[in-house]
Every structure is written in structure tokens, then in C-alpha cells.
Amino acid sequence: MAKFRAGMVAVVASMVSFSQGQPWMFNLTGACDMEDGIEGMSFVKQGTTRSGAPYYKAMRGEKYLYYDPDCMTPTDDMSTDGTPRWIIDKIKPNVTRDHDLDGDGVCNYIAGIESNYYGHPPTRGEWTMNCAGNYQQHFLVLLEVTTTETLTTTTRTMTVTTTTTTRAPLLNAPKSLTLSGACAFKRALNGLTYDLAGTTA
């Protein structure tokens, strides 16, 4: 009887990693206690305004974080404020306006911080906050949340083994066999001849 290995199949999947990061949300801390408290709120990016700056909406409630190049609208007896700033407001910004995005004509908001940079709000700084009707300075921290997506395919090896058994062919097999050497109790079997009748499976 002979044995041989028919083959081995190895399947190897290489590691694939895909990561993509994009600033899309800020978690706010450091706000004062007030009726419309924003402490602990998460602001999620909604799009961009006319200036190209991103704007954000709170995950709970109608609160917005946006950049306004000028939060006032000029009137006959009042010029514009002329100070760009990041604003937290109850009113959704009008993304088609180039200034006074909430359209109220005045600089009235929950919180604001002056800034000439419109790429994203400052991650930390002194904001002027409306705390129950009183404007106060509060150091706010905006913790940036970055999306990360990872797709991983692990490496595995699988082995398949096939074993085949072959039988030696019956070449020149004797046509008959004569038995001898039986014990005394079975001595009657001595001398018996067994003729070849065929093969089994």
C-alpha cells in the first residue's frame, strides 16, 4: 500500500487598511450656567456659508455655531460692527448672506469670539457669553472630533490535504494455496488446498 499527498492549497489575504480623517464635530465645555445652556453640547458640521466657512448645528436643540464677517446690518443711524467673529446662536445662519447671517440686524447671540480665521472655530479661547442676560467672559474649549474609518482584512492560511491509497496489483498471484502448520487441535486443516476465486473491493 502506498500513500501520497495530492496537493496543498494556501489562501493568503493581505492586510488592507483604509483611514480617512475629517474634522466634522466639536464638543463644547466651559460654558456658564443659563436657561439655554450649551455646556457639553456637540456641534456637527452642516455645510459652508457664503464666506466659505463651515457652520455647525447642535445635536440637541436649535443652536448653531458659525462664522460671521460682520454681525450687524448698517442703518441710517448706525454703521456696521465690522468685527469678524465666531458665533453661537439660536438662529440658523443664512448661508447666502455675506454678513449678519442671522438677519437680526444686531450682534445679539449666545456667545461670540473675535477671529480673522474662518477655517474652523478656535479650539480654546475667551468667549463673550450671554449668561442669563449678563455678558461675561468664559474660557471655552471646543474639542475637535475627527472621523476615522478603518477596514481591516486579516491574514489567514488554509491547507487542504488529500490522501490517496493505492493497492499493489495482483501480479502472478498463485491460483491455489495449501495450508500447513495448524495446531494439534486443528490438525485436520493441514493439507487443505484453497483455490483462487476472485478479488474483493
Side-chain angles (χ1 to χ4, degrees), residues 1-140:
M1 181 182 296
K3 293 184 178 180
F4 67 93
R5 178 166 296 178
M8 177 181 294
V9 178
V11 179
V12 179
S14 61
M15 179 76 72
V16 178
S17 296
F18 171 76
S19 298
Q20 181 178 7
Q22 179 186 6
W24 69 285
M25 184 170 74
F26 290 95
N27 294 331
L28 185 148
T29 58
C32 61
D33 296 329
M34 59 183 186
E35 185 178 352
D36 288 327
I38 58 174
E39 175 67 18
M41 277 191 173
S42 297
F43 290 85
V44 181
K45 183 179 178 181
Q46 303 295 301
T48 56
T49 61
R50 185 171 181 177
S51 67
Y55 76 97
Y56 305 80
K57 181 182 182 300
M59 293 184 66
R60 67 176 192 273
E62 293 295 316
K63 304 291 192 303
Y64 298 89
L65 170 62
Y66 60 90
Y67 184 80
D68 199 335
D70 189 339
C71 56
M72 294 183 67
T73 297
T75 60
D76 293 338
D77 57 352
M78 184 183 300
S79 62
T80 62
D81 177 80
T83 303
R85 70 195 75 193
W86 283 93
I87 289 173
I88 299 174
D89 202 347
K90 299 178 182 179
I91 303 174
K92 181 178 180 179
N94 185 335
V95 298
T96 64
R97 295 176 65 95
D98 56 11
H99 68 280
D100 189 20
L101 272 60
D102 62 1
D104 65 357
V106 295
C107 295
N108 185 19
Y109 42 73
I110 297 173
I113 184 172
E114 296 181 4
S115 175
N116 290 317
Y117 179 69
Y118 64 85
H120 59 73
T123 56
R124 56 189 64 234
E126 290 284 343
W127 290 61
T128 302
M129 290 199 66
N130 186 346
C131 300
N134 297 317
Y135 281 94
Q136 303 173 4
Q137 296 298 116
H138 282 266
F139 190 84
L140 300 186

Side-chain angles (χ1 to χ4, degrees), residues 135-155:
Y135 281 94
Q136 303 173 4
Q137 296 298 116
H138 282 266
F139 190 84
L140 300 186
V141 175
L142 291 171
L143 179 62
E144 181 180 308
V145 179
T146 303
T147 60
T148 302
E149 181 182 3
T150 302
L151 174 64
T152 302
T153 303
T154 57
T155 300

